[in-house]
Amino acid sequence: MKTIDELLAEGVGGKRVFVRADLNVPLDGTTITDDGRIRAVEPTVARLAGAGARVVVASHLGRPKGAPDPAFSLAPAAARLGELLRADVAFATDTVGDSATSVVAGLADGQVAVIENLRFNAGETSKDDAERGAFADRLAELADVYVGDGFGAVHRKHASVFDLPARLPHAAGGLIATEVGVLKKLTDDVRRPYAVVLGGAKVSDKLGVIDHLLGKADRILIGGGMVYTFLKAQGHEIGSSLLQEDQIPAVQEYLKRATEIGVEFVLPVDVLVAAEFPDLRTKAPAHPTTVAANAIPAGQMGLDIGPETGRLYAAKLADAETVFWNGPMGVFEHPDYAEGTKAVAQALVDSSGFSVVGGGDSAAAVRILGFDEKAFGHISTGGGASLEYLEGKTLPGLAALED
């Protein structure tokens, strides 16, 4: 895999360099609520522009249905990238149409443009190789060189991620190189004890990584909405908490395997419950009750791990030399249910081990809850990509960058 250092050594002055970034940032209307992914790719864009390249930045945002949708425009992301670069960033209002062609043609050496959301074209995400390839052909007309730096999308077999690199000389950007280097520390020559913290809503989203990590991790801590399927699998009543009943047999099998091979599976001992889901818009007080995890009353739903569990998890992480965390412990967006996630984040800050926050909601939580990003070993820009890498899967976007 060619690195950006090698690409720059060859010279990019005057060349049109297509950077597949991940600018898929959360928006409140047109206001960016977390610019972490833009800040993560900015160094790669800055290096290329500084070397005289004509940089064309492309990304998806959200899940538009293959057609333009103003709610998913990349215009706010383009403006924020310009602020970070302290330079004007041109914006094309389409992907491969007249605006993109004109904007890219108008770039001078060292200038940067962002083209509109790639998913406004159905060819980007098509499962039909020909349709996807046709879109990649048109994207290739905008560039001389391809740099893959959208780690959050490398697990997708999409036109700009998988097909386009085959049509242009290509290299991995600095962000992808960093992300892969970090993930290798979680899979090769791991420093022990190795603890994994998994949260989020659905246990089905994490079964693959649990299966793969059962033979690698020393202890696995479970939180978030997925924990209630684990508690149900142990025979406990969970009230009206989130449940994936069809996953109970798989969960029981993993708990059994963990016991057999000596992996410590840690589940909450107490949880915060309420009769209804909190209002995340108004953040109105929710008045939760703390109950034992094995005694959730009927009509009550678990919405965060409890304070005793927070202390337990902190103790389980204190001596860990390596920690991977993916998924919040509760509905952290509401202040009444943020303490469990805070407890895990603080435990990672206090730990002397190498900690990786695995993207997605976990990365957002760290920032929203006010933690210093530099206090963690690494905050990933790709939750799904990180999980699939840890599952041992081949990621299309990484495979496409191999020579």
Side-chain angles (χ1 to χ4, degrees), residues 274-280 301 303 331 337:
E276 58 186 20
F277 198 83
D279 188 327
L280 300 183
M301 64 177 70
L303 294 163
V331 187
Y337 301 109

Side-chain angles (χ1 to χ4, degrees), residues 294-338:
N294 62 359
I296 299 175
Q300 298 282 302
M301 64 177 70
L303 294 163
D304 192 16
I305 60 172
E308 187 177 346
T309 302
R311 291 188 288 272
L312 170 66
Y313 284 15
K316 294 293 183 181
L317 297 172
D319 67 338
E321 289 294 326
T322 305
V323 181
F324 174 70
W325 172 31
N326 181 280
M329 297 293 99
V331 187
F332 74 92
E333 299 92 339
H334 192 285
D336 287 349
Y337 301 109

Side-chain angles (χ1 to χ4, degrees), residues 5 9 42 61 96 154 164 192-193 276 323 355 371 379:
D5 292 335
E42 183 271 336
L61 191 152
V96 291
V154 294
L164 185 55
R192 298 186 179 281
E276 58 186 20
V323 181
S355 59
F371 287 90
I379 298 179

Side-chain angles (χ1 to χ4, degrees), residues 6 80 112 204-205 259 262 295 298 323 353 376 390:
E6 293 170 316
R80 179 57 180 147
V112 179
S204 56
D205 292 341
T259 300
V323 181
F376 302 87
L390 293 180

Side-chain angles (χ1 to χ4, degrees), residues 8-231:
L8 291 170
E10 294 172 357
V12 294
K15 293 182 179 180
R16 300 169 302 163
V17 180
F18 187 104
V19 177
R20 198 342 177 153
D22 180 8
L23 308 180
N24 185 28
V25 292
L27 294 171
D28 181 2
T30 59
T31 301
I32 297 170
T33 57
D34 179 5
D35 69 352
R37 284 174 168 165
I38 304 174
R39 287 187 287 109
V41 79
E42 183 271 336
T44 291
V45 175
R47 291 186 70 190
L48 290 165
R54 303 176 183 193
V55 186
V56 182
V57 181
S59 176
H60 69 286
L61 191 152
R63 297 181 181 273
K65 303 193 182 297
D69 183 337
F72 298 106
S73 175
L74 278 174
R80 179 57 180 147
L81 179 61
E83 292 173 354
L84 293 170
L85 291 169
R86 294 189 174 92
D88 290 335
V89 169
F91 182 66
T93 57
D94 57 24
T95 56
V96 291
D98 292 342
S99 179
T101 300
S102 175
V103 166
V104 173
L107 290 175
D109 294 359
Q111 290 187 330
V112 179
V114 173
I115 63 174
E116 187 54 285
N117 192 335
L118 291 163
R119 291 186 182 174
F120 285 1
N121 189 302
E124 169 67 2
T125 60
S126 176
K127 297 188 184 301
D128 180 85
D129 291 348
E131 184 180 11
R132 222 177 43 246
F135 183 49
D137 287 339
R138 297 191 66 189
L139 290 172
E141 294 173 2
L142 300 174
D144 305 303
V145 180
Y146 177 93
V147 171
D149 215 28
F151 181 74
V154 294
H155 58 313
R156 306 296 188 190
K157 192 177 181 181
H158 291 170
S160 65
V161 176
F162 179 75
D163 301 273
L164 185 55
R167 289 157 169 79
L168 295 169
H170 50 265
L175 174 59
I176 277 186
T178 297
E179 294 275 14
V180 172
V182 166
L183 288 172
K184 285 183 176 179
K185 292 182 180 181
L186 302 178
T187 54
D188 305 329
D189 194 26
V190 178
R191 291 163 48 197
R192 298 186 179 281
Y194 178 17
V196 175
V197 186
L198 297 175
K202 294 183 178 181
V203 67
S204 56
D205 292 341
K206 303 296 196 302
L207 287 180
V209 74
I210 292 172
D211 183 69
H212 199 69
L213 289 174
L214 270 177
K216 300 181 182 299
D218 298 300
R219 59 187 74 127
I220 298 176
L221 287 60
I222 302 294
M226 63 186 287
V227 80
Y228 303 102
T229 300
F230 278 85
L231 293 172

Side-chain angles (χ1 to χ4, degrees), residues 197-402:
V197 186
L198 297 175
K202 294 183 178 181
V203 67
S204 56
D205 292 341
K206 303 296 196 302
L207 287 180
V209 74
I210 292 172
D211 183 69
H212 199 69
L213 289 174
L214 270 177
K216 300 181 182 299
D218 298 300
R219 59 187 74 127
I220 298 176
L221 287 60
I222 302 294
M226 63 186 287
V227 80
Y228 303 102
T229 300
F230 278 85
L231 293 172
K232 187 71 172 179
Q234 290 184 322
H236 304 308
E237 291 302 320
I238 61 168
S240 58
S241 305
L242 183 64
L243 172 66
Q244 285 189 287
E245 196 161 5
D246 62 323
Q247 301 298 329
I248 288 177
V251 167
Q252 290 173 329
E253 176 61 26
Y254 288 140
L255 291 171
K256 178 183 176 184
R257 277 178 53 195
T259 300
E260 291 173 347
I261 63 178
V263 173
E264 187 179 7
F265 236 106
V266 190
L267 296 174
V269 294
D270 61 343
V271 295
L272 268 59
V273 300
E276 58 186 20
F277 198 83
D279 188 327
L280 300 183
R281 184 179 57 83
T282 65
K283 304 291 198 305
H287 306 296
T289 302
T290 302
V291 301
N294 62 359
I296 299 175
Q300 298 282 302
M301 64 177 70
L303 294 163
D304 192 16
I305 60 172
E308 187 177 346
T309 302
R311 291 188 288 272
L312 170 66
Y313 284 15
K316 294 293 183 181
L317 297 172
D319 67 338
E321 289 294 326
T322 305
V323 181
F324 174 70
W325 172 31
N326 181 280
M329 297 293 99
V331 187
F332 74 92
E333 299 92 339
H334 192 285
D336 287 349
Y337 301 109
E339 291 305 315
T341 301
K342 281 183 183 178
V344 168
Q346 188 63 54
L348 268 62
V349 169
D350 295 340
S351 170
S352 61
F354 180 66
S355 59
V356 177
V357 181
D361 287 342
S362 311
V366 164
R367 299 182 184 107
I368 290 170
L369 296 177
F371 287 90
D372 182 355
E373 294 179 45
K374 295 178 181 178
F376 302 87
H378 178 69
I379 298 179
S380 178
T381 57
S386 296
L387 289 175
E388 291 199 15
Y389 188 99
L390 293 180
E391 288 177 41
K393 292 183 177 179
T394 297
L395 305 187
L398 296 184
L401 295 175
E402 296 290 348

